[in-house]
Amino acid sequence: MTDAAPECTTRQGAVRGSTEHGVAAFLGVPYAAAPFGPRRFAAPAPAEPWTGVRDATGYGPTAPKAPYAPPFDALIPDTSMPGEECLNLNIWTPEPGPGAGLPVMVWLHGGAFSNGSANSSGYRGHTFARDGVVFVGVNYRLGTDGFLHLPGAPDNRGLLDQIAALTWVRDNIEAFGGDPDRVTVFGESAGGVAIGQLLAEPGARGLFRRAVLQSGACHHFVRPDTARRIGERFARQLGVAHTAEAFAAVPLPELIEGQAQLRADFARRPDPAEWGEAALNGMVFEPVAEELRLPGPELGVDLLAGSNQEENRLYMVPAGRFDTISERRLQRGAEAFGADLDGYRAARPGASPGELLDALVTDWFWRIPAVRLAESVPGTYLYEFAWRSPQFDGGLGACHALELGFVFDLLDDPDYVPMAGERAPRDLARTVHAAWVAFAETGDPGWPAYDPAGDRTTMVFDADACRPEPDPRATERKLWEGVR
């Protein structure tokens, strides 16, 4: 690559990027029109073409959102940039220009469908481009604009944005050195849940060849009646009619403030009678679906899925709840999730109520959905991230989102230090990152696929040893048979 500013030509017009870490970066490239004005709460429309060469050296706007509440605001940095052209993406490539035919990885960030952005420094894609991959990070609508049910507007607007971004990638990524027939979509938490929905979405069919679902799969959604009730509740809170037109008339700062209040109300032990399945899922804003849609053997997409060993500690330890979990709270949680608490006690003798609650919630919310996806689609590769963070005197453990710095091989980035510490194992990061790259290149991350009729091989990532194991924690897995 020369020192000259790299340029590529999309179907909307030419873009000029910059060179960083020895690769080309094109930032803030619109893949759809700004979703405001007459396009507010509508399905995404194609991006407007431009003349001349568009500057793509700085990040574009992010979707409107309220910040994370403490203590998560310090653990999970969240970048916000104002502006209406928030349906944009960021590209890093080692070989800008057509003809290279490189594998492509499209990143869908997490954030409970309410937070996050592709502009966070921890999601810079130069480490993937360094290893021969064209990386694309996608900004999509969140919260009210992306996922609130509104009469007169299509549901799942955030998912429609993701489909629009994948369509843009199919139509334009060759100009950036990518192969449109070798696209891997990958995401974490809400990003993984979104991919679980995209696997069953006809509009996404054929837009990606492979998928990686990190700590999120197909199981978390709200049914239409629940989505309607949440929308009506929010409308009453704001004092407006439950329609797209009425919500569009609410000033954006007021809407964001109201959204934060809605989430705060929800966080106070939500009653399933009021919040439906959202109360168990732990998210106010989620994709809307009629029923669980697990893909089958005919999917035609290579899958890599998994979770972290102690996911729920992120929501217990920093808030000081882990050591204060009472036996009553544990029993109430087990009943809500349909968990066999006696079975967990037998599998984990001497475990405290906090340890047991973390184990069963981690399984219900993250691990078992990944297992069931692997059981549904033959040839799926399964992993478990087991390295334990030293933060919070070691209590944070192998918590939710901890694997991100390892997947991106960016442990030195300030986004990851609060959760992983300053001495996280670099060798483990290189190993995990290489597995993701290998999967994008070949469909094989480097260990045997999960076989429900065989030994259920799962790759366990830890600092001491990364090893394929047969059916880790099989005892707990069997306790969930027959449970959603």
Side-chain angles (χ1 to χ4, degrees), residues 309-313 316 321-335 337 339-366 473 476 479-480:
Q309 199 169 80
E310 299 165 305
E311 299 261 8
N312 203 55
R313 283 179 179 246
M316 301 167 71
R321 300 190 188 111
F322 188 82
D323 294 325
T324 63
I325 298 297
S326 65
E327 186 65 28
R328 180 180 178 186
R329 172 72 182 88
L330 171 62
Q331 292 178 353
R332 189 166 62 241
E335 290 171 0
F337 291 109
D340 182 347
L341 185 53
D342 290 338
Y344 269 83
R345 291 190 198 278
R348 298 167 179 265
S352 69
E355 290 170 330
L356 289 170
L357 186 62
D358 166 60
L360 69 88
V361 175
T362 292
D363 282 352
W364 182 87
F365 203 105
W366 291 282
R473 291 180 287 118
E476 290 98 324
L479 297 176
W480 294 96

Short mmCIF file of all heavy atoms in Angstrom, two decimals, residues 309-313 316 321-335 337 339-366 473 476 479-480:
data_model
loop_
_atom_site.label_atom_id
_atom_site.label_comp_id
_atom_site.label_asym_id
_atom_site.label_seq_id
_atom_site.Cartn_x
_atom_site.Cartn_y
_atom_site.Cartn_z
N GLN A 309 -17.81 -18.60 30.59
CA GLN A 309 -18.11 -19.56 31.64
C GLN A 309 -18.90 -18.98 32.81
O GLN A 309 -19.67 -19.68 33.45
CB GLN A 309 -16.81 -20.17 32.17
CG GLN A 309 -16.99 -21.48 32.90
CD GLN A 309 -15.65 -22.15 33.17
OE1 GLN A 309 -14.94 -21.80 34.11
NE2 GLN A 309 -15.31 -23.11 32.32
N GLU A 310 -18.74 -17.67 33.06
CA GLU A 310 -19.43 -17.05 34.19
C GLU A 310 -20.06 -15.73 33.75
O GLU A 310 -19.85 -14.69 34.36
CB GLU A 310 -18.43 -16.83 35.34
CG GLU A 310 -17.82 -18.12 35.86
CD GLU A 310 -16.60 -17.88 36.74
OE1 GLU A 310 -15.65 -17.20 36.27
OE2 GLU A 310 -16.60 -18.36 37.88
N GLU A 311 -20.87 -15.80 32.73
CA GLU A 311 -21.42 -14.60 32.10
C GLU A 311 -22.10 -13.67 33.09
O GLU A 311 -21.88 -12.46 33.09
CB GLU A 311 -22.45 -15.02 31.03
CG GLU A 311 -21.92 -15.86 29.90
CD GLU A 311 -21.62 -15.08 28.65
OE1 GLU A 311 -21.68 -13.83 28.69
OE2 GLU A 311 -21.30 -15.70 27.62
N ASN A 312 -22.94 -14.20 33.95
CA ASN A 312 -23.81 -13.35 34.75
C ASN A 312 -23.07 -12.60 35.86
O ASN A 312 -23.64 -11.70 36.47
CB ASN A 312 -24.94 -14.17 35.36
CG ASN A 312 -26.13 -13.30 35.73
OD1 ASN A 312 -26.66 -12.58 34.89
ND2 ASN A 312 -26.55 -13.36 36.99
N ARG A 313 -21.81 -12.93 36.10
CA ARG A 313 -21.07 -12.19 37.11
C ARG A 313 -20.93 -10.71 36.75
O ARG A 313 -20.80 -9.87 37.65
CB ARG A 313 -19.69 -12.81 37.32
CG ARG A 313 -19.71 -14.09 38.14
CD ARG A 313 -18.33 -14.69 38.31
NE ARG A 313 -18.38 -15.90 39.12
CZ ARG A 313 -17.82 -16.03 40.33
NH1 ARG A 313 -17.17 -15.00 40.85
NH2 ARG A 313 -17.91 -17.15 41.01
N MET A 316 -23.64 -8.98 38.53
CA MET A 316 -23.72 -9.20 39.97
C MET A 316 -22.55 -8.59 40.73
O MET A 316 -22.72 -7.89 41.72
CB MET A 316 -23.80 -10.71 40.26
CG MET A 316 -24.99 -11.40 39.61
SD MET A 316 -24.82 -13.21 39.65
CE MET A 316 -25.05 -13.54 41.40
N ARG A 321 -23.65 -7.26 44.29
CA ARG A 321 -24.76 -8.17 44.59
C ARG A 321 -24.33 -9.61 44.80
O ARG A 321 -25.07 -10.40 45.38
CB ARG A 321 -25.79 -8.14 43.45
CG ARG A 321 -26.40 -6.78 43.17
CD ARG A 321 -27.57 -6.93 42.21
NE ARG A 321 -28.08 -5.64 41.79
CZ ARG A 321 -27.97 -5.14 40.57
NH1 ARG A 321 -27.32 -5.85 39.65
NH2 ARG A 321 -28.46 -3.97 40.26
N PHE A 322 -23.16 -9.96 44.33
CA PHE A 322 -22.79 -11.38 44.27
C PHE A 322 -22.80 -12.03 45.65
O PHE A 322 -23.34 -13.12 45.84
CB PHE A 322 -21.40 -11.53 43.63
CG PHE A 322 -21.01 -12.95 43.35
CD1 PHE A 322 -21.44 -13.60 42.22
CD2 PHE A 322 -20.20 -13.64 44.24
CE1 PHE A 322 -21.10 -14.91 41.96
CE2 PHE A 322 -19.83 -14.95 43.99
CZ PHE A 322 -20.28 -15.59 42.85
N ASP A 323 -22.20 -11.36 46.63
CA ASP A 323 -22.08 -11.95 47.97
C ASP A 323 -23.31 -11.70 48.83
O ASP A 323 -23.34 -12.14 49.99
CB ASP A 323 -20.83 -11.41 48.66
CG ASP A 323 -19.55 -11.85 47.98
OD1 ASP A 323 -19.52 -12.99 47.47
OD2 ASP A 323 -18.60 -11.05 47.94
N THR A 324 -24.28 -10.99 48.30
CA THR A 324 -25.48 -10.70 49.10
C THR A 324 -26.70 -11.48 48.62
O THR A 324 -27.80 -11.26 49.12
CB THR A 324 -25.80 -9.19 49.04
OG1 THR A 324 -26.10 -8.81 47.69
CG2 THR A 324 -24.62 -8.38 49.54
N ILE A 325 -26.52 -12.38 47.66
CA ILE A 325 -27.64 -13.18 47.17
C ILE A 325 -28.13 -14.09 48.29
O ILE A 325 -27.36 -14.88 48.85
CB ILE A 325 -27.23 -14.01 45.94
CG1 ILE A 325 -26.81 -13.11 44.79
CG2 ILE A 325 -28.38 -14.94 45.51
CD1 ILE A 325 -27.89 -12.21 44.26
N SER A 326 -29.40 -13.96 48.62
CA SER A 326 -29.98 -14.78 49.68
C SER A 326 -30.50 -16.10 49.12
O SER A 326 -30.69 -16.24 47.90
CB SER A 326 -31.13 -14.04 50.35
OG SER A 326 -32.19 -13.84 49.42
N GLU A 327 -30.74 -17.02 49.99
CA GLU A 327 -31.32 -18.30 49.57
C GLU A 327 -32.70 -18.08 48.93
O GLU A 327 -33.05 -18.73 47.94
CB GLU A 327 -31.44 -19.23 50.78
CG GLU A 327 -31.90 -20.64 50.44
CD GLU A 327 -30.90 -21.41 49.59
OE1 GLU A 327 -29.68 -21.12 49.68
OE2 GLU A 327 -31.33 -22.28 48.82
N ARG A 328 -33.44 -17.14 49.47
CA ARG A 328 -34.77 -16.85 48.91
C ARG A 328 -34.64 -16.29 47.49
O ARG A 328 -35.39 -16.67 46.61
CB ARG A 328 -35.49 -15.85 49.81
CG ARG A 328 -36.89 -15.49 49.31
CD ARG A 328 -37.55 -14.50 50.23
NE ARG A 328 -38.87 -14.11 49.73
CZ ARG A 328 -39.63 -13.17 50.27
NH1 ARG A 328 -39.20 -12.54 51.36
NH2 ARG A 328 -40.79 -12.87 49.75
N ARG A 329 -33.68 -15.37 47.31
CA ARG A 329 -33.48 -14.81 45.96
C ARG A 329 -33.06 -15.90 44.99
O ARG A 329 -33.50 -15.93 43.84
CB ARG A 329 -32.40 -13.72 46.04
CG ARG A 329 -31.96 -13.18 44.68
CD ARG A 329 -33.04 -12.33 44.05
NE ARG A 329 -32.63 -11.86 42.74
CZ ARG A 329 -32.82 -12.51 41.59
NH1 ARG A 329 -33.43 -13.69 41.61
NH2 ARG A 329 -32.42 -12.00 40.45
N LEU A 330 -32.20 -16.79 45.41
CA LEU A 330 -31.76 -17.90 44.57
C LEU A 330 -32.94 -18.78 44.18
O LEU A 330 -33.10 -19.14 43.00
CB LEU A 330 -30.71 -18.72 45.30
CG LEU A 330 -30.28 -20.04 44.65
CD1 LEU A 330 -29.66 -19.78 43.29
CD2 LEU A 330 -29.32 -20.78 45.56
N GLN A 331 -33.76 -19.13 45.14
CA GLN A 331 -34.90 -19.99 44.85
C GLN A 331 -35.90 -19.30 43.93
O GLN A 331 -36.45 -19.93 43.02
CB GLN A 331 -35.57 -20.41 46.15
CG GLN A 331 -34.73 -21.34 47.00
CD GLN A 331 -35.39 -21.69 48.32
OE1 GLN A 331 -36.44 -21.14 48.68
NE2 GLN A 331 -34.77 -22.60 49.06
N ARG A 332 -36.11 -18.01 44.14
CA ARG A 332 -37.03 -17.26 43.27
C ARG A 332 -36.51 -17.24 41.84
O ARG A 332 -37.27 -17.39 40.88
CB ARG A 332 -37.21 -15.85 43.82
CG ARG A 332 -38.30 -15.06 43.11
CD ARG A 332 -38.67 -13.82 43.89
NE ARG A 332 -37.54 -12.91 44.01
CZ ARG A 332 -37.00 -12.53 45.16
NH1 ARG A 332 -37.49 -13.02 46.30
NH2 ARG A 332 -35.99 -11.69 45.19
N GLY A 333 -35.18 -17.03 41.69
CA GLY A 333 -34.61 -17.04 40.35
C GLY A 333 -34.72 -18.39 39.69
O GLY A 333 -35.06 -18.49 38.49
N ALA A 334 -34.45 -19.46 40.43
CA ALA A 334 -34.55 -20.80 39.86
C ALA A 334 -35.97 -21.10 39.40
O ALA A 334 -36.19 -21.70 38.34
CB ALA A 334 -34.08 -21.83 40.89
N GLU A 335 -36.95 -20.67 40.19
CA GLU A 335 -38.35 -20.90 39.80
C GLU A 335 -38.71 -20.12 38.54
O GLU A 335 -39.39 -20.63 37.66
CB GLU A 335 -39.26 -20.49 40.96
CG GLU A 335 -39.17 -21.40 42.18
CD GLU A 335 -39.92 -20.83 43.37
OE1 GLU A 335 -40.51 -19.73 43.24
OE2 GLU A 335 -39.89 -21.47 44.44
N PHE A 337 -36.80 -19.21 36.09
CA PHE A 337 -36.15 -19.76 34.91
C PHE A 337 -36.49 -21.24 34.68
O PHE A 337 -36.08 -21.81 33.68
CB PHE A 337 -34.64 -19.60 35.00
CG PHE A 337 -34.17 -18.18 34.90
CD1 PHE A 337 -33.66 -17.53 36.00
CD2 PHE A 337 -34.27 -17.48 33.70
CE1 PHE A 337 -33.23 -16.20 35.90
CE2 PHE A 337 -33.87 -16.16 33.60
CZ PHE A 337 -33.34 -15.52 34.71
N ALA A 339 -35.38 -23.69 36.51
CA ALA A 339 -34.14 -24.43 36.72
C ALA A 339 -34.30 -25.48 37.82
O ALA A 339 -35.05 -25.29 38.78
CB ALA A 339 -33.02 -23.47 37.10
N ASP A 340 -33.58 -26.56 37.68
CA ASP A 340 -33.53 -27.62 38.69
C ASP A 340 -32.46 -27.24 39.70
O ASP A 340 -31.29 -27.60 39.56
CB ASP A 340 -33.21 -28.96 38.01
CG ASP A 340 -33.19 -30.12 38.98
OD1 ASP A 340 -33.17 -29.89 40.21
OD2 ASP A 340 -33.16 -31.27 38.51
N LEU A 341 -32.87 -26.51 40.75
CA LEU A 341 -31.90 -26.01 41.71
C LEU A 341 -31.22 -27.14 42.48
O LEU A 341 -30.01 -27.08 42.75
CB LEU A 341 -32.58 -25.05 42.68
CG LEU A 341 -31.68 -24.35 43.70
CD1 LEU A 341 -30.52 -23.64 43.03
CD2 LEU A 341 -32.51 -23.36 44.53
N ASP A 342 -31.97 -28.18 42.80
CA ASP A 342 -31.36 -29.32 43.49
C ASP A 342 -30.27 -29.96 42.63
O ASP A 342 -29.23 -30.39 43.13
CB ASP A 342 -32.42 -30.36 43.85
CG ASP A 342 -33.36 -29.87 44.96
OD1 ASP A 342 -32.95 -28.97 45.71
OD2 ASP A 342 -34.48 -30.40 45.06
N GLY A 343 -30.52 -30.02 41.33
CA GLY A 343 -29.52 -30.57 40.42
C GLY A 343 -28.25 -29.73 40.40
O GLY A 343 -27.14 -30.26 40.35
N TYR A 344 -28.42 -28.40 40.44
CA TYR A 344 -27.24 -27.53 40.48
C TYR A 344 -26.48 -27.68 41.79
O TYR A 344 -25.25 -27.65 41.82
CB TYR A 344 -27.66 -26.07 40.25
CG TYR A 344 -27.63 -25.68 38.80
CD1 TYR A 344 -28.70 -25.97 37.96
CD2 TYR A 344 -26.52 -25.06 38.24
CE1 TYR A 344 -28.69 -25.65 36.63
CE2 TYR A 344 -26.49 -24.72 36.90
CZ TYR A 344 -27.57 -25.03 36.08
OH TYR A 344 -27.54 -24.71 34.75
N ARG A 345 -27.21 -27.81 42.88
CA ARG A 345 -26.54 -28.01 44.16
C ARG A 345 -25.70 -29.30 44.14
O ARG A 345 -24.57 -29.33 44.63
CB ARG A 345 -27.56 -28.09 45.29
CG ARG A 345 -28.28 -26.80 45.61
CD ARG A 345 -29.07 -26.97 46.90
NE ARG A 345 -30.09 -25.96 47.05
CZ ARG A 345 -29.88 -24.73 47.51
NH1 ARG A 345 -28.65 -24.35 47.81
NH2 ARG A 345 -30.88 -23.88 47.63
N ALA A 346 -26.28 -30.35 43.56
CA ALA A 346 -25.57 -31.63 43.50
C ALA A 346 -24.33 -31.54 42.61
O ALA A 346 -23.30 -32.16 42.90
CB ALA A 346 -26.51 -32.73 43.01
N ALA A 347 -24.45 -30.76 41.53
CA ALA A 347 -23.31 -30.63 40.60
C ALA A 347 -22.23 -29.71 41.14
O ALA A 347 -21.07 -29.79 40.72
CB ALA A 347 -23.80 -30.11 39.25
N ARG A 348 -22.58 -28.83 42.08
CA ARG A 348 -21.64 -27.84 42.61
C ARG A 348 -21.70 -27.83 44.13
O ARG A 348 -22.16 -26.86 44.75
CB ARG A 348 -21.97 -26.45 42.05
CG ARG A 348 -21.84 -26.36 40.53
CD ARG A 348 -22.47 -25.09 39.98
NE ARG A 348 -22.31 -25.01 38.55
CZ ARG A 348 -21.33 -24.36 37.93
NH1 ARG A 348 -20.42 -23.71 38.64
NH2 ARG A 348 -21.26 -24.34 36.62
N PRO A 349 -21.27 -28.91 44.77
CA PRO A 349 -21.35 -28.98 46.23
C PRO A 349 -20.55 -27.87 46.90
O PRO A 349 -19.43 -27.56 46.49
CB PRO A 349 -20.76 -30.37 46.56
CG PRO A 349 -19.97 -30.75 45.35
CD PRO A 349 -20.65 -30.12 44.19
N GLY A 350 -21.16 -27.25 47.89
CA GLY A 350 -20.50 -26.18 48.62
C GLY A 350 -20.59 -24.82 47.97
O GLY A 350 -20.08 -23.84 48.53
N ALA A 351 -21.24 -24.71 46.82
CA ALA A 351 -21.36 -23.42 46.14
C ALA A 351 -22.27 -22.48 46.93
O ALA A 351 -23.27 -22.89 47.51
CB ALA A 351 -21.90 -23.61 44.73
N SER A 352 -21.92 -21.19 46.92
CA SER A 352 -22.73 -20.18 47.60
C SER A 352 -23.97 -19.86 46.77
O SER A 352 -24.03 -20.19 45.57
CB SER A 352 -21.91 -18.91 47.80
OG SER A 352 -21.66 -18.28 46.55
N PRO A 353 -24.98 -19.19 47.37
CA PRO A 353 -26.14 -18.78 46.58
C PRO A 353 -25.75 -17.92 45.37
O PRO A 353 -26.32 -18.07 44.28
CB PRO A 353 -26.98 -18.00 47.58
CG PRO A 353 -26.66 -18.61 48.90
CD PRO A 353 -25.18 -18.93 48.81
N GLY A 354 -24.75 -17.03 45.52
CA GLY A 354 -24.31 -16.21 44.39
C GLY A 354 -23.70 -17.05 43.29
O GLY A 354 -23.96 -16.82 42.10
N GLU A 355 -22.88 -18.01 43.65
CA GLU A 355 -22.26 -18.90 42.66
C GLU A 355 -23.31 -19.73 41.94
O GLU A 355 -23.24 -19.92 40.71
CB GLU A 355 -21.24 -19.80 43.35
CG GLU A 355 -20.01 -19.06 43.81
CD GLU A 355 -19.12 -19.91 44.70
OE1 GLU A 355 -19.66 -20.80 45.41
OE2 GLU A 355 -17.90 -19.69 44.70
N LEU A 356 -24.30 -20.21 42.67
CA LEU A 356 -25.35 -21.02 42.03
C LEU A 356 -26.22 -20.17 41.11
O LEU A 356 -26.58 -20.61 40.01
CB LEU A 356 -26.21 -21.69 43.11
CG LEU A 356 -25.52 -22.81 43.89
CD1 LEU A 356 -26.37 -23.24 45.08
CD2 LEU A 356 -25.26 -24.01 42.98
N LEU A 357 -26.56 -18.95 41.55
CA LEU A 357 -27.39 -18.10 40.70
C LEU A 357 -26.63 -17.73 39.43
O LEU A 357 -27.21 -17.75 38.33
CB LEU A 357 -27.81 -16.84 41.46
CG LEU A 357 -28.80 -15.94 40.72
CD1 LEU A 357 -30.12 -16.68 40.47
CD2 LEU A 357 -29.06 -14.65 41.50
N ASP A 358 -25.34 -17.40 39.56
CA ASP A 358 -24.55 -17.10 38.37
C ASP A 358 -24.54 -18.29 37.42
O ASP A 358 -24.71 -18.12 36.20
CB ASP A 358 -23.12 -16.75 38.75
CG ASP A 358 -22.18 -16.78 37.55
OD1 ASP A 358 -22.41 -16.02 36.60
OD2 ASP A 358 -21.24 -17.60 37.56
N ALA A 359 -24.36 -19.49 37.95
CA ALA A 359 -24.26 -20.68 37.10
C ALA A 359 -25.56 -20.94 36.35
O ALA A 359 -25.56 -21.18 35.14
CB ALA A 359 -23.88 -21.89 37.93
N LEU A 360 -26.68 -20.87 37.05
CA LEU A 360 -27.94 -21.23 36.37
C LEU A 360 -28.40 -20.14 35.41
O LEU A 360 -28.94 -20.43 34.33
CB LEU A 360 -29.01 -21.62 37.38
CG LEU A 360 -29.61 -20.58 38.31
CD1 LEU A 360 -30.81 -19.88 37.67
CD2 LEU A 360 -30.10 -21.27 39.60
N VAL A 361 -28.17 -18.86 35.76
CA VAL A 361 -28.54 -17.78 34.83
C VAL A 361 -27.63 -17.79 33.61
O VAL A 361 -28.07 -17.59 32.47
CB VAL A 361 -28.52 -16.41 35.53
CG1 VAL A 361 -28.81 -15.30 34.52
CG2 VAL A 361 -29.56 -16.38 36.65
N THR A 362 -26.32 -18.01 33.84
CA THR A 362 -25.39 -18.12 32.71
C THR A 362 -25.82 -19.22 31.76
O THR A 362 -25.82 -19.04 30.53
CB THR A 362 -23.96 -18.40 33.23
OG1 THR A 362 -23.48 -17.25 33.93
CG2 THR A 362 -23.01 -18.73 32.09
N ASP A 363 -26.22 -20.35 32.30
CA ASP A 363 -26.67 -21.46 31.45
C ASP A 363 -27.95 -21.11 30.72
O ASP A 363 -28.06 -21.30 29.50
CB ASP A 363 -26.86 -22.73 32.29
CG ASP A 363 -25.54 -23.41 32.60
OD1 ASP A 363 -24.51 -23.00 32.05
OD2 ASP A 363 -25.55 -24.36 33.40
N TRP A 364 -28.94 -20.60 31.44
CA TRP A 364 -30.25 -20.35 30.82
C TRP A 364 -30.15 -19.28 29.73
O TRP A 364 -30.72 -19.43 28.65
CB TRP A 364 -31.26 -19.89 31.87
CG TRP A 364 -32.63 -19.65 31.28
CD1 TRP A 364 -33.61 -20.58 31.12
CD2 TRP A 364 -33.14 -18.43 30.75
NE1 TRP A 364 -34.71 -19.99 30.52
CE2 TRP A 364 -34.45 -18.68 30.28
CE3 TRP A 364 -32.63 -17.14 30.63
CZ2 TRP A 364 -35.24 -17.69 29.71
CZ3 TRP A 364 -33.42 -16.15 30.05
CH2 TRP A 364 -34.71 -16.43 29.60
N PHE A 365 -29.40 -18.21 30.03
CA PHE A 365 -29.42 -17.07 29.12
C PHE A 365 -28.43 -17.21 27.98
O PHE A 365 -28.70 -16.77 26.86
CB PHE A 365 -29.10 -15.79 29.91
CG PHE A 365 -29.60 -14.53 29.28
CD1 PHE A 365 -30.71 -13.87 29.78
CD2 PHE A 365 -28.97 -13.99 28.17
CE1 PHE A 365 -31.18 -12.70 29.20
CE2 PHE A 365 -29.43 -12.82 27.58
CZ PHE A 365 -30.54 -12.18 28.10
N TRP A 366 -27.28 -17.82 28.24
CA TRP A 366 -26.21 -17.80 27.24
C TRP A 366 -25.75 -19.18 26.77
O TRP A 366 -25.63 -19.40 25.57
CB TRP A 366 -25.00 -17.02 27.78
CG TRP A 366 -25.24 -15.56 27.93
CD1 TRP A 366 -25.24 -14.61 26.94
CD2 TRP A 366 -25.52 -14.85 29.14
NE1 TRP A 366 -25.49 -13.37 27.47
CE2 TRP A 366 -25.67 -13.49 28.81
CE3 TRP A 366 -25.66 -15.24 30.48
CZ2 TRP A 366 -25.95 -12.51 29.77
CZ3 TRP A 366 -25.93 -14.27 31.43
CH2 TRP A 366 -26.07 -12.93 31.08
N ARG A 473 -19.39 -29.69 31.45
CA ARG A 473 -20.54 -29.54 32.36
C ARG A 473 -21.79 -30.20 31.80
O ARG A 473 -22.87 -29.62 31.73
CB ARG A 473 -20.76 -28.05 32.65
CG ARG A 473 -19.64 -27.50 33.51
CD ARG A 473 -19.80 -26.04 33.85
NE ARG A 473 -19.55 -25.17 32.71
CZ ARG A 473 -20.45 -24.37 32.17
NH1 ARG A 473 -21.67 -24.35 32.66
NH2 ARG A 473 -20.14 -23.62 31.15
N GLU A 476 -25.02 -30.20 34.13
CA GLU A 476 -25.91 -29.04 34.09
C GLU A 476 -26.68 -28.98 32.77
O GLU A 476 -27.85 -28.62 32.75
CB GLU A 476 -25.10 -27.75 34.29
CG GLU A 476 -24.56 -27.58 35.69
CD GLU A 476 -23.12 -28.02 35.80
OE1 GLU A 476 -22.74 -29.01 35.14
OE2 GLU A 476 -22.36 -27.37 36.54
N LEU A 479 -29.82 -30.89 32.83
CA LEU A 479 -30.88 -30.35 33.69
C LEU A 479 -31.85 -29.46 32.92
O LEU A 479 -32.95 -29.19 33.40
CB LEU A 479 -30.27 -29.56 34.84
CG LEU A 479 -29.39 -30.34 35.83
CD1 LEU A 479 -28.78 -29.42 36.86
CD2 LEU A 479 -30.20 -31.44 36.53
N TRP A 480 -31.44 -28.98 31.75
CA TRP A 480 -32.27 -28.06 30.97
C TRP A 480 -33.06 -28.74 29.86
O TRP A 480 -33.76 -28.08 29.10
CB TRP A 480 -31.40 -26.95 30.39
CG TRP A 480 -30.82 -26.07 31.43
CD1 TRP A 480 -29.58 -26.16 31.99
CD2 TRP A 480 -31.46 -24.97 32.08
NE1 TRP A 480 -29.42 -25.16 32.92
CE2 TRP A 480 -30.55 -24.43 33.01
CE3 TRP A 480 -32.73 -24.39 31.97
CZ2 TRP A 480 -30.86 -23.33 33.81
CZ3 TRP A 480 -33.02 -23.30 32.76
CH2 TRP A 480 -32.11 -22.79 33.68
#
